[in-house]
Amino acid sequence: MKIDRFSYLPTVIRACLLGCALFLLASCGLVKQSWNQSQSRQMGEVSGAVYVSHGEKSHLVVVAMPSEQTHSAPLREYQLLDGPGNYALALAAGNYLLFAFEDSNQNLTFDQDELHTRESVPLSIQAGKTIQLPPLYVEDSQTPPANQETQLAARSSTRYQATNAGAIAKLSDYVFSTEYAADKGYWEGLKFNQEVGNNIYFLDAFDPNRIPVLFLHGVRGSPQDLAFLMKSIDQKKYQPWVYYYASGPSMRLASEALHHKLSELQSKYHFPKMHLVAYSAGGLVARDMLIQHGEAHRYIQSFISISTPWGGEKMAENGVRYSPVVLPSWVEMQPSGAFIQSLFAKKLPSWIDYHLLFSYQGKTNRNGDNTDGAVTLASILDKRAQNEAKTIFAFNENHESILQDQLACDRVNDLLDQADNEDDLIARGNLQLELKSFTPLQLVAMGVEITLKDQAGHRTTLPIYPGLTSQTIPQLAVGEYQIITRSKQGNSEQVISAPVINGRTTQIEIQMSGGLIKTALRMASPDATHMTSR
């Protein structure tokens, strides 16, 4: 079974040092991989949501056309969606025009009678950066966007993706296989993003009575690698979710996508608690997301890493230096590189319990370093990670076998229970926002922003999307909060104080009145309504 190996790097390096004859024998495949990874190193990402005017399930296509594209060339950068919702395109650095259309006859061609966006959106993609766009609306059937191409380039897969976070997946599907993960997910990240894309999957329908536990795999891995561990947790209390991402391209891009997918799920399901369990390099992706966007995910209670190379890997550094094919994730795995250093630029959010689990059964490598069979123990036990860990547990297993070890799995289950039991002692209540008198598209068109400010001054921007009528912010610690509502169109701001009371739900009503947004507190208390505006 191919599970998250860094030990392949010396093989690549030795091949380089022995001479180029071996590479000449497979020059076509190497050139293809080298081009693919050269493109991957210069990739950025654009993401957002796309909606169709009739509101029904339909096949949609989001297309990015290079600004210098000739009209005769088929378009290669596109994503096929199996319905309205979120998209994410990994693109080489450059300038593009983005548009979308409804491929009603599924012929991968824009036909003149098909609905489409009224205008193309200009983009400037930078390597390693993510652009989050306002929603696209597929609603026009009369005037195609300027310079819109009609023919899409053929692909080996014309699968319309379930790109919405929370799509139900079968881990037995080929796209989750170790073969696919090691091939497309690692070496051919562009194809992975075109055919699958980074996403959070459910294994069964969302269950509000269970606490979600999100599992992250490692390099060259897939959620299949974590199957035994997921089955070992208390299925009656916890609901396993999986984050599947391309592990060869940038881990920073995978981290950004994780942030957006979690935000999408929270706005839809309003789950009050969550835990993260990350294996090997998946721990780097998880920590990066928490460092960059932790304030937006205050419902995450605990983070458990398993054999994560916190200090990076020297072999990755050698691979970058000597290999003719260099992956973006190798660049980020360099011990002295910017990515590894940024992970510890600040501490994890204070409300998250972090636990460090590791394996130690392995031989010394060529440099004389002790390893767990793949990763050096010096990296796994980086003192910066140890200093933040609430607990540290060692297991006499190697880098792969720890995922099959019942003692390790039992320890994960115990740590999840421990975090939940401690949280149950904290007095909590809910805030519920009710949006009145808005048309489905009005909130977005007016540029409405709603922000929650807690007692410590931390701000969380709540997601806004077409058709939103209610938003629940669950399991907040008791205290006084502020709801700040802004409208970019009217340049106005409303601020309302909202007390969170133990075991109760405080209701906030936001409505359109006379072209203005009004906010009021609705709750069963003597001080029923108080509002300020400026």
Side-chain angles (χ1 to χ4, degrees), residues 1-9 178 181-182 186 216-226 245-248 251 278-285 306-310 313 329-330 333 359 372-376 380 398-403:
M1 179 167 53
K2 296 179 181 179
I3 298 179
D4 192 77
R5 288 187 178 274
F6 291 98
S7 53
Y8 62 88
L9 280 171
T178 53
Y186 187 66
L216 290 82
H217 61 79
V219 167
R220 298 182 76 198
S222 90
Q224 281 189 4
D225 303 335
L226 305 167
Y245 63 97
S247 60
M251 286 184 281
Y279 169 62
S280 198
L284 305 180
V285 174
I306 303 174
S307 299
T308 292
W310 290 119
E313 271 298 319
S329 59
W330 294 7
M333 280 295 301
S359 46
D372 68 350
V375 179
T376 64
I380 293 175
N398 63 39
H399 195 68
E400 296 182 7
S401 66
I402 190 172
L403 294 178

Side-chain angles (χ1 to χ4, degrees), residues 228-233 306 357 395 402-416:
F228 183 82
L229 176 57
M230 288 189 286
K231 289 179 181 178
S232 297
I233 67 171
I306 303 174
L357 278 60
F395 298 90
I402 190 172
L403 294 178
Q404 311 296 321
D405 181 60
Q406 191 61 56
L407 289 177
C409 295
D410 290 344
R411 177 59 64 185
V412 169
N413 215 35
D414 291 343
L415 292 173
L416 296 177

Side-chain angles (χ1 to χ4, degrees), residues 8 15 50 69 83 86 107 115 209 237 423 461-462:
Y8 62 88
V50 57
Q69 175 81 30
N86 289 273
N107 65 349
L115 295 175
N209 297 314
K237 184 176 182 180
D423 184 73
T461 301
L462 305 179

Side-chain angles (χ1 to χ4, degrees), residues 458-529:
H458 299 125
R459 293 173 178 248
T460 301
T461 301
L462 305 179
I464 298 293
Y465 53 88
L468 179 66
T469 59
S470 179
Q471 177 82 285
T472 300
I473 311 165
Q475 296 295 301
L476 294 170
V478 165
E480 193 78 10
Y481 292 77
Q482 285 186 332
I483 299 293
I484 305 167
T485 307
R486 294 187 181 91
S487 172
K488 293 181 181 178
Q489 188 180 76
N491 197 28
S492 62
E493 180 178 285
Q494 297 267 328
V495 181
I496 185 169
S497 294
V500 171
I501 301 171
N502 187 32
R504 296 181 61 179
T505 297
T506 302
Q507 292 185 329
I508 309 292
E509 186 177 286
I510 303 174
Q511 63 178 331
M512 177 69 71
S513 177
L516 298 175
I517 296 176
K518 301 292 184 181
T519 309
L521 178 66
R522 307 288 185 216
M523 60 179 297
S525 78
D527 188 17
T529 304

Side-chain angles (χ1 to χ4, degrees), residues 155 344 391 440 446 464 471:
R155 286 182 186 163
F344 298 97
T391 59
M446 292 181 66
I464 298 293
Q471 177 82 285

Side-chain angles (χ1 to χ4, degrees), residues 371-386:
T371 76
D372 68 350
V375 179
T376 64
L377 298 186
S379 179
I380 293 175
L381 295 174
D382 186 291
K383 66 179 181 181
R384 295 168 296 182
Q386 289 196 63

